[in-house]
């Protein structure tokens, strides 16, 4: 298999596994959601920030677009995999809500670092990193406001 085909396959696999993990995680956290619509909205918001980055890369990154998309697919995968740390935290003497919060914070902090690394390794402008951080902030705000009605 050529490198390009391998990269595309790996990229697809990372995003697919990430989507499955995130979907499963949201489905397992039914206690946090009032209904299926809330669950779907939460998953859509989570996926939209990645979709925006992929679309922007396809439109604006020229020759570096596929390298960048491959790198961020790994970031997405790691972020989703880290959601599973929630289940390891069950062994700690902290509340269920704090386990969930800590898993999310761990996920976000690691993704912030890995996304930055992806931007640097692809040798593109730091504007891409700050654009993703903006998307992440918007997504978190939407989750807190629209999905959970906290703010």
């Amino acid at each position: 298999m050529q490198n390009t085909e391998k990269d595309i396959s790996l990229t697809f696999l990372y995003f697919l596994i990430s989507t499955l993990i995130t979907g499963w995680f949201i489905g397992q956290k039914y206690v946090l959601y009032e209904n299926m619509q809330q669950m779907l909205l939460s998953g859509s918001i989570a996926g939209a920030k990645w979709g925006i980055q992929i679309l922007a890369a396809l439109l604006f990154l020229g020759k570096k677009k596929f390298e960048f998309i491959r790198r961020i697919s790994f970031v997405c995968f790691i972020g989703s995999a880290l959601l599973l740390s929630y289940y390891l935290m069950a062994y700690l003497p902290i509340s269920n809500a704090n386990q969930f919060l800590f898993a999310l914070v761990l996920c976000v902090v690691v993704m912030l670092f890995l996304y930055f690394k992806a931007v640097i390794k692809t040798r593109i402008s730091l504007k891409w990193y700050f654009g993703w951080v903006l998307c992440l902030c918007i997504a978190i705000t939407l989750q807190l406001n629209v999905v959970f009605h906290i703010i």
Side-chain angles (χ1 to χ4, degrees):
M1 189 181 301
Q2 293 178 336
N3 277 346
T4 304
E5 291 174 6
K6 184 178 175 184
D7 285 351
I8 291 170
S9 297
L10 192 56
T11 299
F12 179 78
L13 184 62
Y14 281 147
F15 277 127
L16 175 64
I17 293 171
S18 179
T19 300
L20 293 174
I21 291 171
T22 302
W24 180 80
F25 186 78
I26 288 171
Q28 295 298 306
K29 300 308 302 159
Y30 61 89
V31 175
L32 295 174
Y33 302 97
E34 295 172 8
N35 53 48
M36 181 63 78
Q37 181 180 350
Q38 238 185 348
M39 292 170 75
L40 291 172
L41 183 58
S42 182
S44 297
I45 291 169
K49 72 180 174 296
W50 294 106
I52 290 168
Q53 293 298 298
I54 292 167
L55 182 61
L58 290 171
L59 292 174
F60 302 115
L61 280 183
K63 293 179 181 179
K64 294 185 177 191
K65 62 186 165 194
F66 293 118
E67 177 188 356
F68 181 64
I69 293 170
R70 179 182 50 80
R71 290 183 190 281
I72 67 170
S73 72
F74 180 73
V75 175
C76 183
F77 166 71
I78 293 298
S80 294
L82 285 172
L83 287 174
L84 301 176
S85 67
Y86 167 82
Y87 297 102
L88 296 174
M89 291 183 205
Y91 298 103
L92 299 176
I94 55 177
S95 72
N96 192 24
N98 283 337
Q99 291 170 16
F100 182 69
L101 180 63
F102 291 158
L104 289 176
V105 168
L106 175 64
C107 173
V108 168
V109 168
V110 170
M111 285 193 310
L112 284 167
F113 171 75
L114 292 176
Y115 199 98
F116 181 79
K117 191 174 169 182
V119 167
I120 297 301
K121 283 191 170 200
T122 310
R123 294 185 181 116
I124 57 176
S125 169
L126 282 178
K127 290 178 185 178
W128 284 89
Y129 176 73
F130 294 116
W132 183 75
V133 170
L134 178 62
C135 284
L136 184 62
C137 290
I138 291 169
I140 290 169
T141 301
L142 287 173
Q143 292 279 0
L144 292 174
N145 190 15
V146 177
V147 176
F148 295 112
H149 309 291
I150 293 173
I151 56 173

